[in-house]
Amino acid sequence: PPPFRFLESLGRALHGALISRYSICLIPDLPGSFNLAGRLAHGMKLPAAARYAGVLSRFSSAAGDGGSGRPATAERILVMLSGPEPQRSLLATRLHEFLSRSGLPVIILGGETQAGSIAAGGNIEYISRPGGSLVRDLVLDSRYIISRAGYTTIMELAALGRTALLIPVPGQTEQEYLASYLSGKGLFKIHPQNSPGTPVLVKSDSVDFPASLAGESERLLRAALEEISGE
């Protein structure tokens, strides 16, 4: 956070000292100008033990199905509802009127049977604790996606070649930074949770992620694992 920016160099030094005690430290991101973590993993001198391991995702092998390879065909809004309470329910409450009046079918993925004031009915379907294959299919097929800005979610969306409207958890500086950074790069859109404006949806297949993302990620991870195993 800006008020504590003067402590950043000290924080980096402490993290570097901790990492140097280990043989290897894997960073889930790509090196170079195209990356997803920004200043969280770049723009600094990395410890000798650090290795970029690429974009990690349970869907990485399906990256070719997203983007230009597979257009989103379902005219619906997919909401990936996650994060800690009470912010999770607060977001659900803020989205309820917008989703109800959207004129589109809405599928909400969450960990509970109901969240806040959003319940199944009308144009809204709530799916509790969905399996990985279902999440993958819904992400690939849905025309619009709304999600939190957690790094795991961002990596999974990128692995499938999908963009989304990111609503970071208020006060979680990592999510706020990632959403702002990726929005600035044109990869995702951002809408602060407490913004009085109406969310502006973005087509999930409107961003072309690098075709090499999956292959380069796989190469980096394989190299790191081979180094760990001593092969």
Side-chain angles (χ1 to χ4, degrees):
F4 302 100
R5 187 64 53 83
F6 69 97
L7 294 173
E8 184 172 3
S9 58
L10 175 61
R12 288 183 175 182
L14 291 174
H15 279 87
L18 289 172
I19 293 171
S20 65
R21 298 170 56 188
Y22 295 87
S23 300
I24 190 168
C25 171
L26 302 184
I27 301 174
D29 199 8
L30 295 165
S33 59
F34 180 85
N35 60 77
L36 299 178
R39 293 179 68 248
L40 299 182
H42 299 268
M44 68 191 85
K45 182 179 180 180
L46 295 176
R51 303 288 186 276
Y52 288 108
V55 173
L56 303 184
S57 168
R58 52 183 167 164
F59 306 130
S60 293
S61 61
D65 292 337
S68 59
R70 175 174 168 179
T73 57
E75 289 290 337
R76 66 166 170 250
I77 301 173
L78 177 68
V79 180
M80 303 172 72
L81 195 61
S82 61
E85 293 290 0
Q87 295 299 335
R88 181 172 172 273
S89 291
L90 287 174
L91 174 60
T93 301
R94 286 184 172 273
L95 287 176
H96 183 252
E97 182 177 359
F98 167 73
L99 295 174
S100 298
R101 297 184 177 182
S102 66
L104 294 172
V106 177
I107 293 181
I108 299 175
L109 305 181
E112 305 295 338
T113 56
Q114 183 175 335
S117 62
I118 293 186
N123 64 323
I124 298 175
E125 177 184 359
Y126 196 97
I127 300 178
S128 177
R129 305 185 188 280
S133 60
L134 176 60
V135 174
R136 173 186 178 276
D137 290 342
L138 289 173
V139 168
L140 286 173
D141 291 338
S142 298
R143 182 75 68 188
Y144 306 102
I145 300 173
I146 300 175
S147 78
R148 286 301 197 186
Y151 193 53
T152 298
T153 299
I154 288 171
M155 286 193 293
E156 293 194 333
L157 289 170
L160 291 175
R162 290 296 185 259
T163 186
L165 178 66
L166 301 179
I167 304 180
V169 176
Q172 287 200 4
T173 54
E174 174 192 335
Q175 288 199 16
E176 292 172 339
Y177 169 74
L178 286 171
S180 177
Y181 169 72
L182 295 170
S183 176
K185 291 177 71 72
L187 297 175
F188 291 85
K189 295 294 184 182
I190 181 175
H191 182 83
Q193 179 171 307
N194 297 322
S195 173
T198 301
V200 178
L201 298 174
V202 55
K203 290 184 178 180
S204 64
D205 55 2
S206 62
V207 172
D208 290 327
F209 288 88
S212 60
L213 187 150
E216 180 65 5
S217 295
E218 184 177 352
R219 183 190 69 79
L220 289 168
L221 180 59
R222 184 185 299 113
L225 294 177
E226 289 176 352
E227 183 177 354
I228 291 173
S229 64
E231 295 182 3

